Amino acid sequence: MTHQIHIIGGGLAGSEAAWQLAEAGLRVRVSEMRGGGDTTPAHDSDRLAEMVCSNSFRSDDATSNAVGLLHQEMRALDSLIMAAADKHRVPAGSALAVDREGFAAEVTARIAAHPNIEIVRERVDALPASGPTIIATGPLTAPGLASAIAEVTGIDALAFFDAIAPIVHRDSIDMDICWMAARWDKGGKDYINCPMDREQYETFIAALNDGEKTEFKEWEKDTPYFEGCMPIEVMASRGLETLRYGPMKPVGLDNPRTGRWPHAVVQLRQDNALGTLWNIVGFQTKLKHAEQVRIFRTIPGLENADFARLGGIHRNSFLNSPTLLDRQLRFKAMPHIRFAGQITGCEGYVESAAIGLLAARFAAAEIAGGELAPPPPETALGALVNHITGGAEAETYQPMNVNFGLMPPITTKMRKADRKKSYTDRARAAMAAWMDSDSTTRAAVAYPVEDAPIEASVR
């Protein structure tokens, strides 16, 4: 089959992108290296859309949860991933969990049976020189292709070691305890500062040392720590004072309530343009998630912290997308290429598939001679793609799940439960208006089979 668009990678994002494009009448080539003599350390099969970690798509509550809202929006856009998940759902309370074997088999069968899709079991080691392309190779991109991407972007643009600091919703921080200032008053009030006295600090260090940690997977154990992303508990184990001379140093920070430097300080830095999310500086960690919540809520001012993301360190590869991709997910250095899925820096199965869906719809509109506007930032889809393509701070960009903190804030005072419903109500109205604004969001675009193919270069 001659093809009009090339997709590299057959995970959740690549599969969703292939389905959306094929349903729009485009002929699609999917290059998937698994099944062609290659695999990754994390995969067990050659099935498309294999779920390598959890079998959960997380909450399916579209009224008060951002990921549940994302489910709803994707279903409205005829998502293959959501259809397969719904068909192979298993009991999990309000969460959407799936039979992972049945789910992957369903996606593989539907992609393989589509007359507009050709699956080729091959490894692609170079960036295609021409032709519409979507790269959706995930966090374990093969070394050859990763090197090719790094050559174009610069070595610092593709990370191979993912050091994630926790992120807190700004409105859950107690500013009666914390204050805003930069060290030595340089740079304005750029940080939120949480003060600790000696007893609080020493109790905190003991908790870090005693907290339960996750273990590296076998294929991650040869990944070295970098001094710049050392887990906070590793620093704590080096000595009682280590953190006071590292990310928790108090020098140059006068507490306005005492007029003195605290014994130690935890700093938070703004993480998105809206100012709704703040990351805990230097707090990348291998602590288990429940331990992070328990220990980090002992920090003065964070007793009621609402975490948008918890910390972690694991092998990964992702682009600094706010710098490298445009609003249509095009690679600025090579605009015929789009990126989708986890390699863009989204986190999670659903988010990965959602970016695959949008990359495909953007590409279909472009091939048809038009341009599809991104969904509004008030929607889950729009907030996610906006974060990836410019809403996040490029210097601190890290993988992120969808959450309400990515959306423009609702400033009206109300109960927390009501606030979440306000976000989802607003999102549904914005999504409906967006879908009504462009026919490509409501119906497949027809492309005659006899149209001349647009070939992509595979090396």
Side-chain angles (χ1 to χ4, degrees):
M1 178 196 296
T2 55
H3 62 276
Q4 295 169 287
I5 188 163
H6 183 198
I7 296 175
I8 303 173
L12 278 78
S15 297
E16 183 67 61
W19 181 261
Q20 294 286 328
L21 290 160
E23 286 290 278
L26 289 164
R27 298 185 295 279
V28 183
R29 177 191 185 104
V30 178
S31 294
E32 170 53 56
M33 71 177 188
R34 290 177 297 115
D38 294 283
T39 189
T40 78
H43 288 85
D44 295 324
S45 78
D46 63 357
R47 290 189 298 272
L48 304 182
E50 180 184 341
M51 301 171 74
V52 299
C53 297
S54 167
N55 70 326
S56 176
F57 281 22
R58 313 196 313 282
S59 174
D60 203 34
D61 176 4
T63 300
S64 59
N65 188 283
V67 74
L69 177 66
L70 185 59
H71 293 175
Q72 184 180 70
E73 292 176 0
M74 292 173 68
R75 288 183 180 113
L77 296 175
D78 300 321
S79 164
L80 169 64
I81 294 301
M82 291 308 303
D86 289 335
K87 182 174 180 179
H88 294 277
R89 186 172 195 150
V90 296
S94 62
L96 173 56
V98 306
D99 175 334
R100 71 176 74 220
E101 301 290 332
F103 169 80
E106 176 79 16
V107 173
T108 303
R110 293 186 68 177
I111 292 289
H114 202 294
N116 287 341
I117 301 175
E118 178 186 21
I119 303 170
V120 183
R121 301 292 181 168
E122 61 183 355
R123 191 184 72 226
V124 178
D125 288 329
L127 290 169
S130 63
T133 304
I134 296 175
I135 297 177
T137 46
L140 295 176
T141 296
L145 185 58
S147 296
I149 296 168
E151 284 180 16
V152 176
T153 61
I155 194 65
D156 292 333
L158 190 67
F160 294 93
F161 195 83
D162 190 0
I164 302 174
I167 289 179
V168 177
H169 287 274
R170 171 65 174 78
D171 60 8
S172 69
I173 301 171
D174 187 349
M175 296 305 295
D176 289 335
I177 295 173
C178 305
W179 79 98
M180 297 192 70
R183 201 177 304 278
W184 305 113
D185 291 325
K186 294 180 179 179
K189 297 182 177 181
D190 292 343
Y191 292 84
I192 294 175
N193 300 282
C194 307
M196 284 187 176
D197 60 27
R198 180 186 294 275
E199 181 180 356
Q200 290 168 330
Y201 173 75
E202 292 182 356
T203 300
F204 182 71
I205 297 301
L208 289 177
N209 286 328
D210 295 340
E212 191 175 0
K213 286 85 175 174
T214 58
E215 298 295 327
F216 279 124
K217 296 180 174 64
E218 192 63 35
W219 45 272
E220 292 179 304
K221 289 182 178 178
D222 61 349
T223 305
Y225 286 132
F226 301 122
E227 287 298 319
C229 63
M230 188 72 64
I232 191 169
E233 63 274 9
V234 173
M235 287 189 279
S237 71
R238 292 179 172 180
L240 180 62
E241 296 296 295
T242 302
L243 283 169
R244 286 190 68 237
Y245 288 90
M248 295 178 68
K249 62 186 177 187
V251 297
L253 291 167
D254 292 322
N255 186 337
R257 295 174 181 84
T258 66
R260 304 178 60 182
W261 296 349
H263 184 74
V265 68
V266 174
Q267 290 194 303
L268 293 92
R269 179 173 53 217
Q270 185 171 329
D271 200 79
N272 67 341
L274 295 172
T276 54
L277 301 176
W278 290 67
N279 72 74
I280 309 180
V281 178
F283 269 47
Q284 53 273 355
T285 179
K286 288 290 285 182
L287 287 167
K288 290 191 173 181
H289 283 179
E291 289 289 78
Q292 291 182 48
V293 173
R294 180 181 68 83
I295 294 170
F296 296 158
R297 281 181 177 165
T298 67
I299 297 170
L302 301 186
E303 293 88 350
N304 297 307
D306 184 6
F307 292 93
R309 182 188 71 194
L310 290 163
I313 293 182
H314 55 87
R315 183 180 163 192
N316 199 354
S317 55
F318 62 94
L319 297 168
N320 191 323
S321 295
T323 301
L324 299 173
L325 304 184
D326 71 11
R327 297 288 181 171
Q328 293 275 312
L329 296 167
R330 286 179 296 232
F331 192 26
K332 293 177 184 177
M334 303 176 72
H336 65 284
I337 295 174
R338 283 178 165 85
F339 282 88
Q342 283 188 269
I343 197 169
T344 66
C346 62
E347 183 80 3
Y349 293 135
V350 184
E351 291 88 340
S352 180
I355 297 302
L357 184 154
L358 287 176
R361 286 177 173 258
F362 291 154
E366 183 176 31
I367 292 170
E371 181 171 294
L372 175 63
E378 293 81 7
T379 66
L381 280 164
L384 189 61
V385 74
N386 180 64
H387 177 77
I388 289 168
T389 60
E393 294 293 332
E395 290 184 6
T396 59
Y397 186 63
Q398 291 287 348
M400 173 68 75
N401 293 113
V402 68
N403 62 82
F404 291 128
L406 300 184
M407 300 176 182
I410 291 176
T411 57
T412 305
K413 289 188 176 182
M414 62 185 74
R415 294 184 311 145
K416 186 175 182 179
D418 294 336
R419 181 175 299 276
K420 291 180 178 179
K421 186 175 184 300
S422 293
Y423 274 108
T424 56
D425 286 346
R426 183 183 69 174
R428 275 186 283 275
M431 187 69 179
W434 179 73
M435 291 181 69
D436 285 342
S437 70
D438 197 303
S439 62
T440 60
T441 65
R442 298 196 305 272
V445 179
Y447 296 91
V449 174
E450 64 269 21
D451 281 358
I454 304 172
E455 296 291 352
S457 172
V458 181
R459 302 173 187 174

